Amino acid sequence: MPDGQDKRAVDLTDWIDQTDGSGRHPLSDSFDSHEKKDLEDALQGRNLLKTLEAVSAPPHFERRVKFKVRRRSAGRYFSHHPTVQPFVVSIDAFIVLAVAIMAACWFLIQEPPRSDNTFFVDPPNPEIPSTISPVESSP
Amino acid sequence: MGNSTYINGVQCARTRRRRISVDEKRLVIRLKSQEEAAFTQLMRLHKDRVFSVCLRMLANTAEAEDIAQEVFVRAFMSIRSFREEAQLSTWLYRIAVNLCKNRLKYHSRRHYRAHRDFEGLPDSASNQGVGKTSGESSPRPDEILEGTQAEARVQRALMDVDPDYRNLLILRDIQGLTYLDIMKITGLAEGTVKSRLHRARGALRRAYDAQEEMKFNA
């Protein structure tokens, strides 16, 4: 719990918040000169800040923030590069499709199998020499 | 002032909790999915207020810009840690206040007296004629100069106030936040906020009077 001075400060703050400074605090008659000065200073301090004009961020503010985000995210956000169009199919499906196409092409370029076995060629039969002598063969 | 309702001087409890609006909930969902358009919308909604807090805390345009930009960068990178217990603006203010305090501590450790832009604040609304009706003429140059100098004196006095007190003055009397929001930003109890605010207002007034005395004695 705030002490007595703090409680008085809280009460005065509430009163200042509700007033435009033209009225008198209901307990001001019981204030000593220090307390009256304190209240007056707080009221005028609040009013001083009301004289400050609103300020706006500079026109390049957003651009610079985006630049800093781009730099810190290594280009992941607010990149200047045009957005890449996403694939219609996923990468995995694309890989399977590519392998299937390659396999089909491989099969298509192969020569059709032949009916005769041309890989194995029998050597020509050697001539068998005749066993009948030329003399015996005349009538 | 703010969103509080007073009944016989007591702040009404029903107004103490401000619900997060449906629009803001949608924005938070989009931000958490790191949607860039949502982040742009966040900046457009809050950049002026965040920059204003930083400028009033630091009184240096370049540093205020740097810190304010850092607020949004950190918000984007750590949006997933936002727990939706408070409004987005409250969360941003908290980041801004903490970064400003860190910067001030850094300067004080190095005994660095940064250049203060007491005269070189960004063009204010009065200088640009914003908010004036069509029937009113633009302010004269001497009026603009007088306004600028008066504002510079107030800002100078604000910089003479302790940073913890200055913080409360900015959040309450310049930004117009409720005490509930200030409690969430600073982590202080309501009574502590109000008693410190009272002392801060008095300190500002005394600092301003001291500036005026120096001007006359110079």
Side-chain angles (χ1 to χ4, degrees):
Chain A
M1 284 289 286
D3 60 15
Q5 273 195 339
D6 285 344
K7 277 188 75 176
R8 174 61 62 91
V10 169
D11 176 55
L12 292 177
T13 300
D14 283 337
W15 183 78
I16 290 172
D17 283 344
Q18 297 170 56
T19 186
D20 59 356
S22 57
R24 278 167 57 88
H25 191 278
L27 298 176
S28 60
D29 289 337
S30 63
F31 288 173
D32 59 24
S33 58
H34 174 74
E35 286 169 332
K36 284 181 182 171
K37 178 81 172 57
D38 190 43
L39 174 60
E40 186 63 25
D41 283 348
L43 198 54
Q44 291 187 9
R46 195 273 308 261
N47 292 341
L48 275 175
L49 292 173
K50 287 187 177 302
T51 65
L52 292 177
E53 295 286 348
V55 292
S56 302
H60 52 254
F61 187 87
E62 286 178 33
R63 184 168 49 82
R64 289 209 179 153
V65 172
K66 288 178 184 177
F67 172 77
K68 286 186 178 181
V69 171
R70 182 167 63 243
R71 196 172 57 186
R72 293 224 192 142
S73 64
R76 188 175 169 196
Y77 300 108
F78 299 107
S79 173
H80 283 314
H81 297 295
T83 309
V84 176
Q85 291 295 330
F87 280 130
V88 177
V89 296
S90 67
I91 291 293
D92 295 332
F94 178 77
I95 291 170
V96 168
L97 191 63
V99 169
I101 290 172
M102 283 192 295
C105 291
W106 186 79
F107 281 113
L108 284 173
I109 64 174
Q110 297 302 310
E111 290 181 6
R114 296 183 187 177
S115 57
D116 57 322
N117 193 355
T118 57
F119 286 106
F120 303 99
V121 178
D122 291 331
N125 291 329
E127 284 186 8
I128 299 172
S130 172
T131 57
I132 301 172
S133 64
V135 174
E136 293 177 357
S137 64
S138 62
Chain B
M1 182 178 276
N3 288 333
S4 301
T5 302
Y6 285 83
I7 299 173
N8 294 332
V10 177
Q11 190 176 13
C12 180
R14 275 179 293 176
T15 62
R16 292 170 75 90
R17 263 186 233 100
R18 273 214 315 235
R19 291 192 189 87
I20 300 173
S21 66
V22 174
D23 286 340
E24 184 158 304
K25 279 188 180 172
R26 283 200 197 119
L27 180 61
V28 170
I29 291 168
R30 290 168 61 207
L31 284 167
K32 287 191 174 183
S33 60
Q34 311 259 256
E35 191 185 307
E36 294 177 9
F39 183 61
T40 305
Q41 185 183 347
L42 177 74
M43 278 199 285
R44 284 195 187 142
L45 287 172
H46 300 292
K47 63 180 179 181
D48 290 339
R49 281 182 276 185
V50 169
F51 177 72
S52 173
V53 167
C54 297
L55 185 63
R56 297 301 176 196
M57 279 292 288
L58 302 171
N60 181 304
T61 308
E63 291 210 351
E65 263 191 63
D66 187 43
I67 296 289
Q69 288 167 14
E70 183 64 23
V71 168
F72 285 100
V73 172
R74 289 202 185 189
F76 185 79
M77 301 305 247
S78 60
I79 186 65
R80 291 202 177 97
S81 67
F82 176 61
R83 281 176 289 181
E84 301 181 50
E85 291 167 351
Q87 295 194 316
L88 271 172
S89 58
T90 308
W91 185 54
L92 292 173
Y93 277 128
R94 187 174 192 155
I95 299 173
V97 162
N98 288 337
L99 288 177
C100 287
K101 281 187 179 172
N102 290 344
R103 183 60 64 97
L104 288 169
K105 278 184 195 166
Y106 171 81
H107 287 326
S108 67
R109 271 200 300 267
R110 292 174 177 260
H111 305 290
Y112 172 67
R113 296 184 66 81
H115 171 67
R116 302 286 179 221
D117 288 334
F118 293 122
E119 307 285 348
L121 291 169
D123 287 338
S124 63
S126 65
N127 292 349
Q128 294 169 348
V130 173
K132 292 192 180 294
T133 61
S134 56
E136 295 179 15
S137 58
S138 299
R140 299 195 313 270
D142 58 329
E143 287 174 346
I144 294 172
L145 181 63
E146 193 180 321
T148 306
Q149 287 176 346
E151 184 161 328
R153 281 199 292 274
V154 175
Q155 180 66 52
R156 206 175 282 121
L158 194 55
M159 291 308 291
D160 287 339
V161 173
D162 183 81
D164 287 334
Y165 285 2
R166 190 186 320 151
N167 182 23
L168 296 177
L169 290 171
I170 293 169
L171 293 176
R172 179 64 186 173
D173 292 335
I174 299 180
Q175 298 297 316
L177 299 186
T178 64
Y179 286 110
L180 185 61
D181 285 338
I182 296 174
M183 284 157 62
K184 286 182 180 172
I185 292 167
T186 59
L188 298 171
E190 185 176 357
T192 308
V193 170
K194 289 182 177 178
S195 62
R196 284 193 187 181
L197 185 62
H198 179 75
R199 285 193 278 273
R201 286 166 171 166
L204 176 68
R205 173 65 196 191
R206 288 186 287 277
Y208 185 81
D209 288 343
Q211 299 262 345
E212 293 291 290
E213 267 186 49
M214 277 172 57
K215 196 179 75 170
F216 285 121
N217 291 339

